[in-house]
Amino acid sequence: MRSDQMKKGLERAPHRSLFKALGLTDREIGQPMIGIANSANDLIPGHRHLHQISEAVKAGIRMAGGTPLEFFTIGVCDGIGMGHEGMKYSLSSRELIADSVESMAMAYPFDGLVLIPNCDKIVPGMLMAAARLNIPAIVISGGPMLAGKFQGREVDLITLFEYVGKARIGEITAEELREAEGCVCPGVGSCSGMFTANSMNCLTEVLGMGLPGNGTIPAVQAERIRLAKEAGMQIMELVERGIRPADILTREAFENALTVDMAFGGSTNTSLHLPAIAKEAGIPLTLDTFNIFSEKTPHLCSMSPGGPHHLADLHEAGGIPALTQELSRGGLIHTGTMTVTGKRVGENIERRQVKNPEVIRPLEKPYHAVGGLAVLFGNLAPEGAVVKRSAVDDAMLQHTGPARVFDAEEPAMQAILDGKIRKGDVVVIRYEGPRGGPGMREMLSPTSAIAGIGRDRDVALLTDGRFSGGSRGAAIGHISPEAAEGGPIAAIREGDLIEIDIPGKKLNVLISDAELKARLADWKPVQRELKGYLKRYAAQVRSAHTGATFA
């Protein structure tokens, strides 16, 4: 056993004495030791209940003859971090989480790992660590939040962000806004639409690193606790059989993830996280690959923010296994890849059926013929830019308009709320990339404000930062190279015409090559005073098209 390094032999008597100080018996010390990386805290609704998930995991490990040993990681709530300096620590926390799990699993040579994340950067951070460490590992998430109810309809956190814009123009009252605050997030769990957290929890299942149901079983259901116990028991089988992340995180597994991502219209942030996880697994995954799979994968699920359905609806319709089975029917899934069930994908999905053909449409009747994400290229984004095509109104799939240029999120947000953005404008927010922000802040506040004032059908927003999985409209992010690296977005001037062609995968500023070259030759980088972790992060992080990974 790997854990023998710290517990076996005469020379490890001092080590055993320290384990006994924890109350462990000789039998517990002799059993396989399983590390539990828990990201529970009192700050994130998606993580508030993870202590309960962990207790269920421990019970499963003990039932299967193992010894659970729990430790904790940090976690940032993007919703609470949104719109202020705190958001700079969201994406950047992914690397800290991966490093902290690696540090604990190397300092304590566990025989296996159970990873308990739920939201945004925590899920990919833990998966990156699992791929890097390559010891038997399984992920059990905390599960999605239920949708809320307000004025007779289902609502979620994105509804409230959009209500801010509606309140500003008088479409709803301040009292209604206040009432909605208590309705949109009815309890624990990751926010209820197909936003970043749920996209990544569902893709964890598709990658083979989570049990079926990991992405969709609601946080408040007892089924989630039972799944956690199953995960605790299953890690013992993975240890016994020697099944490691390298056996699961293959090229075919990532291709399955891209296919399902396109079918359910996942967050644009998956284009950051899947390449970052793949890099740790030794598999190159470029933005071009996203377009390849988008073009051949129909969009089968219309999930919030682009559609009416939430994660509980997807679960009741058969969940990710049913969606994967439907895609497999068209030959779009590699069914021979290994998973943490100890079985191949084909075995996991063979008896799964779609229970609601509106939530998971058949291949012959998709919501759209192509997938939910698109990567655009052009003189404004030589290395790519990402848009959630499934959440863009048809009227904005092709658009040309004047640039309204802002060098940070806050002045852009103020201009939107003050009514200074007009029909046809293209709002450009720059110096918000991985290095320039630093930290690549999400732009949910401005995109939601644009939607809230009714401008999402005639105003576009471009940034070298990123968008929440809850953003909708012609919101194009991850523009690479970023402004802080002297990318073309740094050369845009107020009033320049921007051409957006999402079906054609193009993003251009309509100036001559000579003019663009001359402007960039005169460019001077914006200097920002940095200290602490952000200073180190800005020095190491690479462009968004790499997944914002460290060099």
Side-chain angles (χ1 to χ4, degrees):
M1 290 188 291
R2 186 171 181 265
S3 61
D4 285 348
Q5 298 174 54
M6 61 180 172
K7 67 185 186 184
K8 191 172 183 180
L10 291 175
E11 67 278 13
R12 295 294 182 255
H15 303 63
R16 291 192 295 273
S17 73
L18 291 168
F19 282 124
K20 289 181 177 181
L22 299 175
L24 296 183
T25 65
D26 285 331
R27 179 173 179 176
E28 288 172 302
I29 294 170
Q31 293 176 160
M33 289 185 162
I34 307 300
I36 300 175
N38 190 354
S39 54
N41 64 44
D42 289 341
L43 291 162
I44 311 177
H47 291 230
R48 184 68 176 83
H49 64 304
L50 295 188
H51 292 295
Q52 187 180 15
I53 298 294
S54 177
E55 289 304 312
V57 168
K58 291 176 186 177
I61 292 170
R62 291 187 181 111
M63 283 190 285
T67 299
L69 296 164
E70 183 178 23
F71 62 92
F72 294 89
T73 73
I74 62 170
V76 174
C77 177
D78 282 21
I80 296 173
M82 201 73 64
H84 59 86
E85 290 293 294
M87 182 50 76
K88 294 182 179 181
Y89 289 87
S90 173
L91 179 62
S92 62
S93 72
R94 185 186 71 184
E95 273 38 55
L96 286 174
I97 291 162
D99 289 351
S100 67
V101 174
E102 175 199 352
S103 297
M104 291 297 287
M106 293 304 293
Y108 302 91
F110 301 118
D111 298 298
L113 278 174
V114 179
L115 306 168
I116 309 179
N118 208 28
C119 293
D120 291 282
K121 311 313 148 316
I122 301 97
V123 180
M126 288 192 175
L127 283 168
M128 289 165 67
R132 185 186 303 170
L133 290 161
N134 198 32
I135 62 175
I138 191 170
V139 177
I140 170 66
S141 78
M145 185 185 292
L146 296 176
K149 292 288 180 66
F150 181 66
Q151 295 182 341
R153 71 184 187 98
E154 284 196 339
V155 291
D156 53 44
L157 181 65
I158 307 310
T159 311
L160 196 64
F161 270 95
E162 294 182 4
Y163 277 6
V164 171
K166 292 181 184 294
R168 181 57 68 102
I169 63 174
E171 191 170 318
I172 64 170
T173 66
E175 184 179 340
E176 286 176 307
L177 181 65
R178 176 84 173 182
E179 184 183 350
E181 285 179 29
C183 299
V184 297
C185 296
V188 297
S190 48
C191 296
S192 56
M194 192 57 82
F195 315 141
T196 305
N198 291 326
S199 295
M200 289 309 303
N201 281 325
C202 288
L203 294 182
T204 297
E205 206 176 310
V206 183
L207 284 169
M209 290 297 293
L211 295 174
N214 177 74
T216 59
I217 297 171
V220 295
Q221 291 186 357
E223 187 180 0
R224 173 64 54 180
I225 301 300
R226 295 196 296 271
L227 190 73
K229 290 180 181 177
E230 293 288 346
M233 290 186 281
Q234 192 59 29
I235 187 61
M236 298 302 295
E237 180 179 333
L238 297 175
V239 169
E240 182 179 350
R241 293 176 59 184
I243 298 174
R244 301 170 185 267
D247 302 315
I248 295 170
L249 295 173
T250 61
R251 178 76 193 183
E252 291 75 18
F254 282 98
E255 291 184 355
N256 284 346
L258 286 171
T259 299
V260 177
D261 190 11
M262 299 306 162
F264 64 46
S267 165
T268 52
N269 285 316
T270 63
S271 68
L272 289 172
H273 300 320
L274 287 177
I277 299 163
K279 180 190 174 190
E280 297 288 356
I283 297 168
L285 191 62
T286 64
L287 283 183
D288 288 342
T289 312
F290 281 75
N291 273 345
I292 293 169
F293 281 84
S294 181
E295 287 305 309
K296 67 180 184 180
T297 306
H299 178 219
L300 303 183
C301 303
S302 186
M303 308 292 294
S304 175
H309 302 130
H310 292 88
L311 267 290
D313 301 317
L314 181 58
H315 184 61
E316 291 171 8
I320 296 302
L323 174 59
T324 307
Q325 172 71 312
E326 182 61 23
L327 292 164
S328 176
R329 191 169 64 83
L332 299 173
I333 294 292
H334 300 288
T335 57
T337 59
M338 178 57 71
T339 74
V340 291
T341 65
K343 300 176 182 178
R344 308 283 172 176
V345 167
E347 297 174 87
N348 290 339
I349 66 174
E350 63 182 345
R351 292 185 175 85
R352 302 296 182 129
Q353 294 182 337
V354 174
K355 299 175 183 177
N356 185 332
E358 272 305 295
V359 177
I360 303 173
R361 283 196 173 180
L363 290 168
E364 296 80 10
K365 189 185 175 185
Y367 283 98
H368 300 97
V370 293
L373 296 184
V375 180
L376 314 184
F377 295 91
N379 70 353
L380 187 49
E383 294 174 343
V386 184
V387 62
K388 191 169 186 174
R389 173 166 48 187
S390 59
V392 179
D393 189 271
D394 287 347
M396 290 299 291
L397 290 174
Q398 293 175 307
H399 177 77
T400 300
R404 303 295 307 280
V405 183
F406 303 91
D407 285 347
E409 176 187 358
E410 288 83 357
M413 182 66 176
Q414 195 60 52
I416 295 165
L417 293 178
D418 288 346
K420 295 180 180 179
I421 303 302
R422 307 299 182 192
K423 180 178 179 179
D425 284 350
V426 178
V427 177
V428 177
I429 304 176
R430 61 191 179 190
Y431 296 103
E432 290 284 8
R435 181 175 298 173
M440 204 179 182
R441 290 194 290 178
E442 284 188 348
M443 305 289 168
L444 178 57
S445 293
T447 59
S448 296
I450 287 171
I453 63 175
R455 296 257 76 105
D456 57 303
R457 292 178 177 85
D458 51 43
V459 167
L461 197 155
L462 312 183
T463 183
D464 55 5
R466 60 196 176 90
F467 296 111
S468 163
S471 292
R472 64 184 176 94
I476 300 167
H478 306 202
I479 292 176
S480 300
E482 61 176 295
E485 294 180 324
I489 190 173
I492 297 176
R493 294 177 182 172
E494 189 82 6
D496 283 347
L497 286 179
I498 306 295
E499 180 186 51
I500 299 166
D501 182 358
I502 295 174
K505 312 290 195 308
K506 295 177 182 178
L507 181 64
N508 291 294
V509 54
L510 299 182
I511 59 176
S512 69
D513 291 344
E515 173 66 13
L516 182 57
K517 185 177 180 180
R519 290 186 190 181
L520 289 173
D522 290 338
W523 171 78
K524 298 289 189 298
V526 172
Q527 299 295 328
R528 289 186 173 166
E529 190 69 29
L530 299 174
K531 60 183 180 180
Y533 177 57
L534 286 184
K535 184 175 183 178
R536 299 196 302 275
Y537 181 81
Q540 296 181 73
V541 73
R542 300 190 298 165
S543 177
H545 80 281
T546 71
T549 55
F550 282 177

